[in-house]
Amino acid sequence: MKKISFLLGILAVVLAFSSCNKTETYADQLDRENEAINAYIVKHGIKVISEEQFEKQGNTTDVSKNQYVLFASSGVYMQIIDKGTGEPLKKGETATVLCRFTENNLITDTLQLTNSILYFGKTVDKMSVTNTSGTYTASFDPKSSVMYEAYRSTSVPAGWLIPLQYINLGRLTTPTSKLAKVKLIVPSQQGQINATQSVYPCSYDITYQRGL
């Protein structure tokens, strides 16, 4: 019942957006999205840095200053909380990546989906990721993916793939091992299928772990 109620809640949000969208132009929707992102940045005291500054800092963000780097070409904001144990996905490599995540809708300012708590806590989202000369592609495993259960799509949000070139993929094999962890602000065009269709941004907390 908890699973059904949670999915019905997502459906209600989607239907509400669909109703609103009938009276809005796409430009109106984008303006609303940008306002929601800016409001989130102000509310959470986020310090936005450029890609140039991010590079000068060794491709890291200063968590003590609540820094997020803005990737101008995609509109995605990223904070690296921990780069993680292990090594980055190599060029030409395909790997299974396991993710724990929390997804918040920035328009409604609510928790929308998570596999960290509630009914879905027993499921770790599994995706197959390929690094082709620095370009990352990925798909969710329908048999082990809360994102797939909620949105009925194996497509991984493009925003989820951006951190992969800056983090390490490892496993918790020793007491000092750490998983890569990031926070993201993802505009609709870089997000999951419902966000793209209904034009709303999401924030994410995500951990990445190399699968077996």
Side-chain angles (χ1 to χ4, degrees):
M1 286 298 295
K2 290 182 180 179
K3 174 182 178 182
I4 293 172
S5 298
F6 203 66
L7 293 177
L8 285 176
I10 294 172
L11 178 61
V13 170
V14 172
L15 291 175
F17 274 111
S18 297
S19 176
C20 291
N21 289 350
K22 291 179 181 179
T23 61
E24 292 180 317
T25 66
Y26 184 59
D28 290 335
Q29 294 168 28
L30 290 177
D31 286 342
R32 181 187 63 185
E33 175 175 68
N34 289 331
E35 288 173 2
I37 291 174
N38 290 333
Y40 181 85
I41 289 171
V42 171
K43 178 181 178 180
H44 293 275
I46 292 170
K47 171 66 175 177
V48 179
I49 63 173
S50 66
E51 293 175 71
E52 290 76 16
Q53 184 175 345
F54 178 63
E55 185 176 356
K56 288 178 181 178
Q57 294 177 182
N59 292 334
T60 61
T61 51
D62 189 335
V63 178
S64 69
K65 297 179 180 178
N66 203 20
Q67 289 182 344
Y68 279 61
V69 57
L70 169 61
F71 296 99
S73 62
S74 64
V76 171
Y77 298 77
M78 177 184 71
Q79 180 181 75
I80 300 177
I81 298 173
D82 202 304
K83 287 207 168 190
T85 300
E87 58 185 26
L89 194 67
K90 298 175 182 177
K91 290 183 179 180
E93 181 183 4
T94 297
T96 297
V97 179
L98 308 176
C99 294
R100 288 282 184 189
F101 75 93
T102 298
E103 176 185 79
N104 292 281
N105 184 316
L106 298 192
I107 298 290
T108 60
D109 193 24
T110 56
L111 170 66
Q112 184 162 275
L113 191 65
T114 182
N115 67 357
S116 296
I117 56 174
L118 304 175
Y119 176 88
F120 293 119
K122 64 183 181 181
T123 302
V124 179
D125 276 40
K126 182 187 294 185
M127 57 186 183
S128 177
V129 183
T130 300
N131 179 356
T132 305
S133 300
T135 299
Y136 296 81
T137 54
S139 60
F140 287 117
D141 180 351
K143 296 179 181 179
S144 180
S145 172
V146 172
M147 288 289 282
Y148 176 81
E149 283 200 50
Y151 302 119
R152 311 311 295 178
S153 173
T154 59
S155 297
V156 175
W160 281 39
L161 302 180
I162 289 176
L164 290 171
Q165 58 188 304
Y166 305 108
I167 62 173
N168 299 315
L169 292 176
R171 295 184 60 79
L172 299 179
T173 56
T174 71
T176 58
S177 298
K178 294 183 178 181
L179 297 183
K181 184 175 182 179
V182 304
K183 290 185 177 182
L184 299 172
I185 302 171
V186 179
S188 58
Q189 293 306 306
Q190 301 294 315
Q192 37 83 356
I193 189 169
N194 283 0
T196 300
Q197 292 174 348
S198 297
V199 193
Y200 62 85
C202 292
S203 67
Y204 291 94
D205 286 30
I206 310 177
T207 61
Y208 296 81
Q209 177 178 340
R210 186 179 291 271
L212 295 175

